[in-house]
Amino acid sequence: MIGLPGTDGRSKGDDPMNDANTNAERYLAIWNETDAARRRALIAESWSKAATYIDPLMRGEGHEQINSLVEAVQNRFPGFRFALIGVADGYGDNLRFSWGLGPENGDALIKGTDFAELEGGKLKSVRGFIDLLPEAT
């Protein structure tokens, strides 16, 4: 990183990996939440009202459309769970992390990397990329 000596753009005492991991885990918890009321509450807590989500397969804007995307994935892959792969990375209001989707207690059959922008501590936009998608999916 280029900057003034001894600075990295973060406040003293910040643990950027912890914050990035916390945000990534909170995001993935939404995709794993099967109780509709609880999932809607998590979305309201974690996403801004006008948030957007887009990946090569789907897109949505606002809480209801994002919730619908989550429901669609859960319906297509019943019993599958999202899990963080590696360590999330972030700086400022930017977040990057990789995830796997597969049967609970099994190997991830689908893998991806998401880039998110936060605003006021909430997700403003998420751009997803698919790293591994079996042909039969």
Side-chain angles (χ1 to χ4, degrees):
M1 170 180 273
I2 299 173
L4 297 174
T7 66
D8 64 1
R10 298 182 182 105
S11 301
K12 285 189 176 191
D14 285 352
D15 184 348
M17 290 303 176
N18 235 0
D19 290 343
N21 276 329
T22 299
N23 285 322
E25 292 284 1
R26 184 172 45 194
Y27 169 81
L28 294 176
I30 291 167
W31 290 89
N32 289 330
E33 182 57 63
T34 56
D35 179 89
R38 177 71 185 131
R39 185 176 55 250
R40 281 188 173 90
L42 290 171
I43 290 170
E45 291 170 11
S46 302
W47 291 76
S48 67
K49 288 184 180 183
T52 57
Y53 176 89
I54 185 169
D55 70 23
L57 306 174
M58 57 190 184
R59 66 183 309 143
E61 183 175 338
H63 292 178
E64 281 308 309
Q65 287 184 13
I66 291 167
N67 182 60
S68 294
L69 298 177
V70 174
E71 285 181 342
V73 170
Q74 290 178 354
N75 288 334
R76 179 142 186 208
F77 301 104
F80 278 35
R81 307 276 298 165
F82 283 89
L84 188 62
I85 296 176
V87 177
D89 185 25
Y91 65 90
D93 287 334
N94 299 287
L95 176 64
R96 174 185 66 177
F97 58 94
S98 295
W99 50 264
L101 175 64
E104 193 164 4
N105 302 320
D107 292 336
L109 303 177
I110 302 168
K111 296 179 181 180
T113 300
D114 288 3
F115 297 85
E117 182 180 358
L118 298 147
E119 181 176 69
K122 291 188 173 193
L123 292 163
K124 177 181 177 182
S125 70
V126 175
R127 302 294 179 252
F129 291 81
I130 307 297
D131 300 328
L132 174 66
L133 183 66
E135 285 187 34
T137 325

